[in-house]
């Protein structure tokens, strides 16, 4: 088993000595490396190879788990590639002060602007995490980057069109989704300005933008590759967790909760977190949950693109666990509140 | 993760995607058809990344092996964090051990998808037996006020899902995006013993009288006249009329 870390000297060549101290400090602060994840990964890999064809892997439940897990991964890979390529490009090609020039100077104003800018990133939620990360690295205030992170998967044209198709004849649902998602993204950005602490974020020393004397294209390629491998590993972890719930939660529990208006909102919000349906498809799933109130289905569509198991895994990998836990919890609460308020007014 | 491992991982993942989406139709088990071009592009891109890494970044991680291994990965661009090892699972699985399509296990644990409200119905073609999808049949039975389906012999295709407590359903699993959002359509079958789970069948029969036809109380059920085993259609995960493999 080759060890996975061997590049202090490389770091030295890539980064000037001036940026080294934070890195050293980080090593002290950092928790023990995720050896558990490594052990699990290797164990599973060995199991897959050694036991191919053995009965338990082909048990219907295990087979369904493998199918769903692989499906989530395969479906997300193109979007993750898009996100990490964009992130690499922002790092290597975009001038450092572009974003600070374009966004309003005051962070409180930059938040809603970044939230609305989320509409331009097409595709699923997996793409937005690496992009938001690269925005922070390029000096965008984290609050604005988080507003972008939350709104991008929910309000882009593809997702809104899918919502309109899934709910024919109720344009109010599309409007409610747009407004509730934007409101959640903005509130979370402001909340970060108010309560957020830098130390929850994993310190960023890695991407420092274009270095004179290095080929921009090589910087892009290596940054892209690194981000993809990093995020991809967490994607697989998240897909495993989501597939577990997807296969084990019996759909009959749906009927238990559909009766109560309050519980049903909370239940569908929780379902959105554990099912990890991609944001382009979640409107169709929501449309099929016919026993539930429109507000509960709105909550499903607002929470889903912002918080789900694979996103939590991606965020934990990108920004650190301390951040992911707090941020996801707060986002869920704000998203449910926004859905109830806006759904109550519009639907 | 060393350079060799990264190259291997990128190349294997790329090949896995190409294998599943370009050289075979296996991707249809996992994702919707529309993702095919994106999967192919991603496969090519990953392959190129891996090859470029192998060709241009020689020596990127020589001579660092004797470092203390406690500190973690991502300081520089040329290593990948340990978590990336997990990506070998989908890559190898795609290449060598593709999981089967979702089937009776998933269908029996799912509720039935509610059919959409439809405003009007065109006259039914006069062909007999009339090929129909499970969704069309359910919609006709429960919503068509003209009762055009009454007494008509229809042919539907799907796979068999035994129902706990007896009987069986003809079922289809439909993806909107990928297998994680799979939804199930079911029509209950009367008059024949349950075939083995996951058998693909073409079934002819007439509506099983239960409830009032043309209203929501009508059962999505069929009195089976004949069943015929078929190969699994290429487009197994849409509720369309079957395209059989050529």
């Amino acid at each position: 088993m080759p060890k996975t870390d061997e590049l202090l000297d490389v770091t030295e060549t890539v980064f000037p000595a001036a940026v080294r101290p934070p890195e050293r400090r980080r090593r002290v602060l950092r928790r023990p490396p995720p050896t558990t994840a490594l052990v699990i990964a290797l164990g599973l890999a060995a199991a897959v190879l050694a036991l191919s064809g053995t009965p338990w892997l082909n048990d219907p439940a295990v087979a369904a788990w493998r199918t769903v897990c692989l499906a989530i991964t395969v479906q997300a890979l193109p979007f993750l590639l898009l996100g990490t390529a964009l992130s690499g490009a922002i790092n290597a090609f975009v001038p450092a002060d572009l974003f600070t020039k374009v966004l309003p100077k005051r962070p409180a104003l930059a938040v809603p602007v970044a939230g609305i800018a989320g509409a331009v990133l097409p595709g699923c939620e997996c793409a937005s995490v690496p992009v938001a990360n690269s925005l922070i690295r390029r000096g965008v205030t984290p609050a604005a980057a988080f507003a972008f992170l939350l709104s991008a998967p929910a309000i882009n044209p593809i997702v809104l069109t899918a919502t309109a198709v899934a709910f024919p004849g109720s344009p109010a649902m599309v409007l409610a989704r747009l407004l509730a998602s934007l409101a959640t993204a903005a509130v979370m950005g402001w909340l970060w300005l108010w309560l957020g602490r830098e130390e929850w974020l994993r310190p960023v020393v890695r991407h420092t933008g274009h270095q004179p004397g290095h080929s921009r294209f090589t910087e892009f390629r290596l940054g892209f590759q690194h981000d993809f491998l990093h995020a991809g590993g967490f994607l697989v972890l998240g897909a495993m967790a989501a597939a577990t719930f997807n296969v084990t939660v019996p759909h009959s529990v749906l009927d238990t909760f559909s009766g109560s208006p309050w519980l049903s909102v909370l239940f569908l919000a929780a379902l959105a977190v554990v099912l990890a349906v991609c944001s382009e498809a979640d409107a169709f799933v929501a449309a099929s949950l016919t026993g539930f109130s429109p507000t509960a289905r709105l909550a499903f569509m607002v929470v889903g693109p912002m918080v789900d198991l694979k996103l939590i895994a991606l965020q934990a990998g990108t920004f650190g666990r301390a951040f992911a836990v707090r941020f996801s919890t707060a986002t869920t609460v704000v998203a449910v509140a926004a859905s109830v308020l806006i759904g109550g007014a519009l639907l | 993760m060393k350079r060799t491992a990264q190259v291997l991982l990128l190349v294997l993942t790329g090949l896995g995607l190409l294998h599943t989406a370009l050289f075979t139709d296996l991707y249809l088990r996992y994702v919707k058809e529309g993702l095919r071009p994106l999967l192919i592009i991603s496969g090519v891109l990953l392959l190129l990344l891996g090859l470029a890494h192998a060709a241009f970044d020689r020596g990127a991680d020589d001579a660092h092996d004797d470092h203390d291994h406690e500190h973690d990965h991502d300081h520089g661009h040329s290593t990948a964090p340990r978590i990336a090892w997990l990506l070998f699972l989908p890559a190898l699985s795609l290449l060598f051990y593709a999981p089967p399509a979702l089937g009776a296990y998933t269908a029996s644990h799912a509720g039935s998808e509610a059919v959409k409200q439809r405003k009007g119905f065109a006259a039914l073609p006069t062909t007999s037996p009339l090929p129909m999808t499970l969704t069309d049949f359910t919609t006709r039975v429960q919503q068509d006020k003209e009762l055009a389906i009454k007494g008509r012999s229809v042919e539907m295709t799907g796979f068999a899902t035994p129902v706990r407590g007896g009987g069986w359903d003809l079922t289809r699993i439909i993806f909107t995006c990928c297998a994680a959002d799979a939804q199930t359509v079911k029509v209950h079958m009367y008059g024949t013993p349950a075939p083995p789970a996951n058998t693909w069948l073409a079934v002819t029969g007439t509506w099983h009288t239960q409830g009032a036809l043309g209203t929501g109380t009508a059962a999505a059920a069929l009195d089976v006249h004949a069943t015929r085993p078929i190969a699994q259609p290429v487009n197994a995960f849409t509720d369309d009329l079957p395209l059989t493999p050529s």
Side-chain angles (χ1 to χ4, degrees), chain A:
Chain A
M1 172 62 246
K3 295 288 187 168
T4 56
D5 181 54
E6 43 270 304
L7 53 144
L8 212 56
D9 298 20
V10 178
T11 321
E12 215 130 16
T13 62
V14 175
F15 303 112
V19 295
R20 297 289 306 286
E23 179 191 334
R24 212 166 274 141
R25 190 175 66 229
R26 173 169 72 132
R27 203 171 301 145
V28 179
L29 289 176
R30 179 185 276 271
R31 299 182 192 193
T35 356
T36 346
L38 179 68
V39 171
I40 294 171
L42 291 173
L44 283 172
V48 168
L49 289 177
L51 299 174
S52 321
T54 55
W56 71 268
L57 270 176
N58 291 319
D59 175 85
V62 180
W65 181 86
R66 286 166 50 217
T67 307
V68 172
C69 188
L70 189 61
I72 295 177
T73 312
V74 167
Q75 183 272 326
L77 274 181
F79 297 100
L80 195 66
L81 269 173
L82 172 74
T84 46
L86 264 178
S87 145
I90 290 173
N91 185 58
F93 299 118
V94 176
D97 55 350
L98 178 78
F99 293 111
T100 29
K101 270 189 203 149
V102 172
L103 282 173
K105 287 279 178 296
R106 290 185 49 195
L109 283 179
V111 165
V113 173
I116 292 167
V120 301
L121 183 70
C124 286
E125 56 267 30
C126 310
S128 59
V129 175
V131 172
N133 191 30
S134 70
L135 290 178
I136 296 178
R137 294 191 301 235
R138 299 322 301 277
V140 172
T141 166
F146 294 145
F148 176 85
L149 165 81
L150 293 177
S151 76
I155 66 163
N156 70 64
I158 298 176
V159 168
L160 291 180
T161 312
T163 313
V165 172
F167 291 91
S170 65
M173 186 58 100
V174 183
L175 185 66
R177 179 174 197 179
L178 174 67
L179 293 179
S181 302
L182 268 180
T184 309
V187 168
M188 282 306 295
W190 289 322
L191 211 54
W192 177 265
L193 284 179
W194 181 34
L195 298 173
R197 303 234 197 93
E198 285 287 332
E199 66 251 33
W200 293 339
L201 284 176
R202 170 175 297 173
V204 176
V205 293
R206 185 155 43 89
H207 290 233
T208 47
H210 175 62
Q211 302 288 314
H214 290 84
S215 146
R216 279 179 190 269
F217 185 76
T218 304
E219 283 176 344
F220 162 71
R221 186 168 58 75
L222 290 178
F224 175 24
Q225 174 178 329
H226 178 278
D227 283 1
F228 172 75
L229 290 176
H230 186 74
F234 282 97
L235 170 70
V236 176
L237 200 63
M240 287 174 168
T244 307
F245 281 98
N246 207 306
V247 172
T248 52
V249 175
H251 283 240
S252 47
V253 300
L254 292 181
D255 306 328
T256 330
F257 290 93
S258 57
S260 149
W262 290 105
L263 277 181
S264 70
V265 171
L266 295 180
F267 175 72
L268 281 197
L271 195 69
V273 173
V274 297
L275 285 190
V277 172
C278 107
S279 67
E280 288 174 33
D282 61 358
F284 296 93
V285 177
S288 77
L289 298 167
T290 42
F292 289 87
S293 68
T295 305
R297 294 197 245 171
L298 177 67
F300 181 85
M301 291 190 295
V302 175
V303 172
M306 299 186 173
V307 187
D308 67 36
L309 290 179
K310 72 176 182 310
L311 274 176
I312 295 174
L314 277 175
Q315 290 174 2
T318 311
F319 302 113
R321 262 172 285 179
F323 169 81
V325 170
R326 292 178 172 90
F327 190 69
S328 299
T329 314
T331 309
T332 313
V333 173
V334 173
V336 168
S339 309
V340 169
L341 289 176
I342 291 173
L346 287 178
L347 298 175

